[in-house]
Amino acid sequence: MGKVIVTIDGNIPSKFAHSFNVMKMAQGFFQCGYKTEVVSLLSWPILKEWLKIKKIHYHYGVSKEIKITLLPVFNKDFYYKTIDAKGFNIRAGKYFKKQKPDLVYCRSYLSVIECIKNRIPCIIETHTTLYDNPDLKKVFELSCSEYLLGLVTINKLLSNEYVKRGFPDNKIIIEEDGVDISQYNINDDKLYWRKKLHMPEDKRIVLYSGGLYKEKGIESILKTKKLITDETIMFYIIGGTPDQVKEWSFYVNKNKITNVIFLGFKPNSELPCYHKAADILFMPYDAEIKYQIMDINSTSPLKLFEYMASKRPIVTSDIPTIKKIVKNKKEAMLAKLDHHVDLANCIYDLLHDNKKAEQIANNALKLVEKYSWENRCKRILSKTTKVTI
């Protein structure tokens, strides 16, 4: 059995999407049969977050057999940094050299440099649009090293920019984000989960799960709900910090929007249960918002893959990053961008046509198989031919 270390320079544990990508990639390598370890930063804020979350593997929905190692830094960054602390990557490089992994999968630019210095095969994954980041430039300068096996990214637009800046085209691998399909191999009975989760059995439920940043389309969700006057239709919103929940609850009350329930953050392990309890899974986007949390033109829709695996019909927006994965009325309902009436009509359409809803859900489930984290890891390894683990 080969050994893979997946590393990032902080935010493990956290509620940030990139930390879930890191942990799910570790799960994917583990499912491929490799001994897997995650290496990240230990600092005082991280330690407090660890003590708050406690069950880290449950939080991320990954196997307890995945080892998590947090390495401290011995400088002032220890007291306030949650990511990118000075000295972490040098410390990590020494740890890699001692552990002798067959591969280090990096979500930190400086960890690549440490791997090359120590002659350890590595792969870098980045989704950044900050192309002139000085640490990324260092990776580009070393991109012809035999120990840097490849760069993984999620979009052709990003790939093109990296090539322009000197990364060899034949070393770039484009892979969408993924989903752990095994999490969804649970009871498919909607009423079973509603009873278990104390959700109404006699209502029709539209559910969103994810961040509550404005960029995540929350305002569109609520504006759509404002248009839906049918009192049998309820919207459930999962995710966010207590402050974000408070802010959006105030918005709901101010705008007199009814039948909206905020459940707050739920561990990744619990999301499949809530998805199974829903009639429709919802994820609209807004064109007018200035996206700072993500780039709407180059993002890989991780949430979409989770929704697809749930075997529940999806309503989302007709944007390039969505329609490159699913087709309208085949695997999802794609509404016109920034058109809340169209979003509401898509919801009504699915709720009044059970046959269409079931067909769309089944089509999405068939398609999502290739987007599993396990298959993603297999494809990445197959394209980096020097990996022999």
Side-chain angles (χ1 to χ4, degrees), residues 15-44:
K15 297 174 183 176
F16 294 115
H18 67 267
S19 79
F20 282 86
N21 174 284
V22 168
M23 294 301 295
K24 292 297 188 179
M25 280 300 290
Q27 176 77 356
F29 285 119
F30 174 77
Q31 289 171 332
C32 287
Y34 305 124
K35 186 177 180 182
T36 308
E37 181 176 3
V38 173
V39 174
S40 187
L41 169 71
L42 177 64
S43 65
W44 180 242

Side-chain angles (χ1 to χ4, degrees), residues 5 9 11 95 212 245 277 288:
I5 288 178
D9 55 1
N11 279 342
Y95 183 81
L212 294 197
V245 170
E288 295 179 0

Side-chain angles (χ1 to χ4, degrees), residues 31-244:
Q31 289 171 332
C32 287
Y34 305 124
K35 186 177 180 182
T36 308
E37 181 176 3
V38 173
V39 174
S40 187
L41 169 71
L42 177 64
S43 65
W44 180 242
I46 288 287
L47 180 59
K48 288 193 287 186
E49 191 68 16
W50 183 287
L51 294 173
K52 188 192 306 181
I53 292 173
K54 294 179 182 177
K55 298 180 180 179
I56 307 303
H57 295 85
Y58 185 77
H59 172 77
Y60 285 109
V62 300
S63 171
K64 290 181 180 180
E65 293 186 52
I66 295 171
K67 183 180 178 183
I68 302 174
T69 300
L70 302 185
L71 302 175
V73 292
F74 301 105
N75 53 53
K76 63 181 181 180
D77 282 4
F78 174 84
Y79 297 101
Y80 70 96
K81 286 267 194 173
T82 60
I83 196 164
D84 197 28
K86 185 178 179 181
F88 167 76
N89 286 287
I90 293 174
R91 181 88 194 272
K94 292 177 181 177
Y95 183 81
F96 302 154
K97 187 175 182 180
K98 183 178 179 181
Q99 295 299 311
K100 298 180 180 178
D102 297 280
L103 173 71
V104 176
Y105 195 86
C106 304
R107 287 301 305 267
S108 161
Y109 306 135
L110 295 181
S111 61
V112 172
I113 296 166
E114 292 301 317
C115 286
I116 292 172
K117 185 169 70 177
N118 289 299
R119 299 183 179 183
I120 300 170
C122 64
I123 297 171
I124 175 72
E125 177 164 351
T126 181
H127 309 165
T128 189
T129 55
L130 302 175
Y131 306 113
D132 296 321
N133 179 299
D135 292 337
L136 182 58
K137 282 184 175 181
K138 292 176 185 176
V139 173
F140 290 157
E141 290 168 6
L142 294 169
S143 59
C144 290
S145 168
E146 63 178 304
Y147 295 102
L148 179 49
L149 305 181
L151 181 153
V152 177
T153 193
I154 54 175
N155 188 283
K156 184 65 176 174
L157 295 174
L158 298 176
S159 169
N160 291 342
E161 292 295 334
Y162 301 151
V163 171
K164 281 182 188 177
R165 287 158 174 78
F167 206 95
D169 183 55
N170 64 351
K171 278 191 172 187
I172 293 182
I173 302 161
I174 301 171
E175 283 287 339
E176 298 286 350
D177 269 324
V179 61
D180 185 358
I181 295 173
S182 67
Q183 283 187 287
Y184 288 85
N185 294 331
I186 57 177
N187 192 326
D188 194 47
D189 185 350
K190 192 182 303 176
L191 294 181
Y192 170 84
W193 291 112
R194 291 193 183 183
K195 288 177 183 176
K196 205 167 183 65
L197 299 170
H198 307 292
M199 299 167 77
E201 298 174 39
D202 59 342
K203 301 289 186 180
R204 291 176 292 177
I205 293 176
V206 178
L207 185 140
Y208 166 86
S209 63
L212 294 197
Y213 304 102
K214 194 171 184 179
E215 295 96 320
K216 294 293 187 177
I218 308 304
E219 194 166 4
S220 268
I221 292 172
L222 299 176
K223 284 181 177 179
T224 302
K225 180 63 183 75
K226 178 79 171 175
L227 297 173
I228 295 175
T229 56
D230 187 335
E231 291 296 311
T232 69
I233 300 172
M234 298 187 69
F235 275 38
Y236 275 75
I237 298 176
I238 295 175
T241 65
D243 285 344
Q244 288 170 334

